[in-house]
Amino acid sequence: MTHAMLLPVAVLAAWSLVMWIWMLKTRVPAMQKAQMHPEKAKHTRGDAFNALPSEVRQISDNYNHLMEQPTIFYALALALAVSGAAGLIDVGFAWAYVVIRIGHSLWQATANKVMIRFYFFIASTLMLFPLAGRAIYILATS
């Protein structure tokens, strides 16, 4: 199961790179069109970025989101994989987390209705609780 537990980790990391490319392909042209000097982009919040279209900012926001909560997922999945005791249920929760986060990304980067995005966020977060519980149990009892 160790390799099975690592595959969702690799897939989410690869997905984060896909979102980075999408962000780059939308942000740079938007900055050029707005004649925004790169120095004005040193902070991703504030007046300079507010000048960019919402459909560009929401992709950038999603990339940032992929650098936040998924760090908890990475730590838990790696702890379970390294323990050698990850089971099929753990792998299932890991895949569920990854699939929901990809859905969250696609939703935020396109339709971006906040309440639906919030439901994606809650659903993905709920997948972390059993992973955390299993990681604690396995590591505390081994």
Side-chain angles (χ1 to χ4, degrees):
M1 274 303 135
T2 299
H3 285 94
M5 194 67 192
L6 293 175
L7 185 55
V9 170
V11 168
L12 189 57
W15 177 254
S16 297
L17 295 172
V18 167
M19 289 305 299
W20 179 82
I21 291 167
W22 193 353
M23 176 186 67
L24 193 64
K25 290 180 97 116
T26 56
R27 184 191 281 181
V28 171
M31 288 174 66
Q32 290 170 336
K33 184 176 180 182
Q35 297 179 344
M36 182 187 297
H37 191 277
E39 281 301 308
K40 294 210 180 228
K42 62 174 95 175
H43 302 289
T44 59
R45 303 281 184 246
D47 296 337
F49 272 93
N50 287 338
L52 296 177
S54 179
E55 59 271 10
V56 170
R57 290 192 326 260
Q58 63 199 33
I59 295 166
S60 176
D61 289 344
N62 184 262
Y63 176 75
N64 290 335
H65 293 164
L66 288 168
M67 299 302 116
E68 294 169 348
Q69 189 198 59
T71 59
I72 298 169
F73 166 73
Y74 292 132
L76 293 171
L78 291 172
L80 286 163
V82 168
S83 76
L88 191 57
I89 291 174
D90 303 316
V91 173
F93 279 115
W95 274 117
Y97 181 82
V98 170
V99 168
I100 296 167
R101 285 306 299 207
I102 290 171
H104 176 275
S105 290
L106 292 171
W107 184 262
Q108 185 172 13
T110 57
N112 202 24
K113 299 292 182 211
V114 174
M115 284 310 296
I116 302 297
R117 196 176 89 214
F118 177 68
Y119 295 139
F120 275 111
F121 177 72
I122 293 297
S124 66
T125 303
L126 291 174
M127 299 303 107
L128 296 175
F129 284 93
L131 289 172
R134 285 273 298 152
I136 291 167
Y137 175 78
I138 288 168
L139 295 170
T141 59
S142 60

